[in-house]
């Protein structure tokens, strides 16, 4: 009744497109086989909800000691590409907007009075953003786990200084005024 097709790092639609885009004279047998398999999947699907796509995905734990931002050379990351946080908080979108605004400041600085290269400005941007994103990501992960463990109503509110720090956005200091671990330590130890 159920059919499972492993498409690797792509989707059935991508497999069909690759086959259709190939040169008719030099059709690769594996490409043709993959296309036929993808067509079989799509032809035996009654509703779109019958299909589930899965692809490799990894979320980097920002709480690792030696973790970096992920940028290299003239490339940097922003938003979820750099720091995915738990979706229930709504902070992922806020952090992405902060990234964009802060990155714009660093690029503007590079274009006006700085002698630093664009690569140096991007690394400086990443260095200033990482502590804030790490703290908020850690806070949200701990709160999510605690809500399952002790119940949502027993997870304490943010420390007022921490809440103010979060709300200040890009105008705040990179490091939080109080550790989220200090606020939640009693519940974590239970």
């Amino acid at each position: 009744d159920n059919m499972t097709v492993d498409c690797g790092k792509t989707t059935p639609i991508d497999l069909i497109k690759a086959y259709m885009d190939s040169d008719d004279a030099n059709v690769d047998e594996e490409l043709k086989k993959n296309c036929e398999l993808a067509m079989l999947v799509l032809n035996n699907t009654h509703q779109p909800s019958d299909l589930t796509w899965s692809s490799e995905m990894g979320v980097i734990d920002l709480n690792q000691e030696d973790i970096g931002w992920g940028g290299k050379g003239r490339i940097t990351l922003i938003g979820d590409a750099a720091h995915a946080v738990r979706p229930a908080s709504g902070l992922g979108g806020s952090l992405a907007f902060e990234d964009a605004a802060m990155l714009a400041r660093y690029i503007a600085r590079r274009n006006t009075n700085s002698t630093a290269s664009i690569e140096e400005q991007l690394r400086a941007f990443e260095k200033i953003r990482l502590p804030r994103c790490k703290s908020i990501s850690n806070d949200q992960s701990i709160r999510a786990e605690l809500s399952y463990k002790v119940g949502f109503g027993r997870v304490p509110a943010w420390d007022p200084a921490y809440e103010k720090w979060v709300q200040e956005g890009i105008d705040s200091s990179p490091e939080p005024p109080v550790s989220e671990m200090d606020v939640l330590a009693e519940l974590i130890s239970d």
Side-chain angles (χ1 to χ4, degrees):
D1 195 38
N2 284 340
M3 176 187 298
T4 302
V5 177
D6 183 2
C7 295
K9 296 182 180 182
T10 189
T11 67
I13 293 170
D14 293 331
L15 295 174
I16 294 168
K17 184 174 181 337
Y19 176 76
M20 298 195 62
D21 290 346
S22 67
D23 181 10
D24 289 336
N26 298 318
V27 174
D28 181 310
E29 281 304 311
E30 184 178 350
L31 194 62
K32 184 177 179 181
K33 181 181 166 195
N34 287 341
C35 178
E36 289 169 355
L37 189 57
M39 289 300 294
L40 179 67
V41 168
L42 294 175
N43 287 333
N44 286 295
T45 300
H46 301 287
Q47 303 177 63
S49 61
D50 290 342
L51 294 174
T52 57
W53 308 117
S54 69
S55 60
E56 291 182 20
M57 182 186 96
V59 176
I60 296 171
D61 180 7
L62 289 178
N63 299 310
Q64 299 173 42
E65 287 298 318
D66 60 346
I67 197 72
W69 189 263
K72 188 174 182 179
R74 297 173 65 93
I75 297 172
T76 192
L77 304 172
I78 64 170
D80 283 353
H83 48 73
V85 296
R86 300 279 177 148
S89 69
L91 291 171
S94 298
L95 288 174
F97 280 114
E98 286 181 18
D99 288 348
M102 184 68 80
L103 181 58
R105 284 183 182 178
Y106 275 78
I107 291 171
R109 185 180 305 157
R110 165 67 179 107
N111 290 332
T112 55
N113 60 2
S114 176
T115 59
S117 70
I118 189 68
E119 290 89 350
E120 291 169 325
Q121 289 290 40
L122 293 177
R123 298 305 79 80
F125 156 76
E126 294 166 358
K127 184 177 180 183
I128 200 86
R129 291 295 295 155
L130 189 58
R132 178 174 176 80
C133 294
K134 272 186 169 185
S135 177
I136 291 173
S137 175
N138 188 40
D139 174 78
Q140 294 305 296
S141 293
I142 292 169
R143 287 175 181 281
E145 289 178 29
L146 283 175
S147 69
Y148 291 113
K149 180 180 173 186
V150 301
F152 182 74
R154 291 204 47 226
V155 178
W158 276 333
D159 176 275
Y162 190 83
E163 181 176 12
K164 182 176 185 263
W165 175 77
V166 169
Q167 292 175 353
E168 286 174 345
I170 62 173
D171 295 323
S172 67
S173 68
E175 299 286 343
V178 61
S179 167
E180 66 280 357
M181 295 300 288
D182 294 342
V183 174
L184 303 169
E186 186 178 305
L187 283 173
I188 293 170
S189 64
D190 289 346

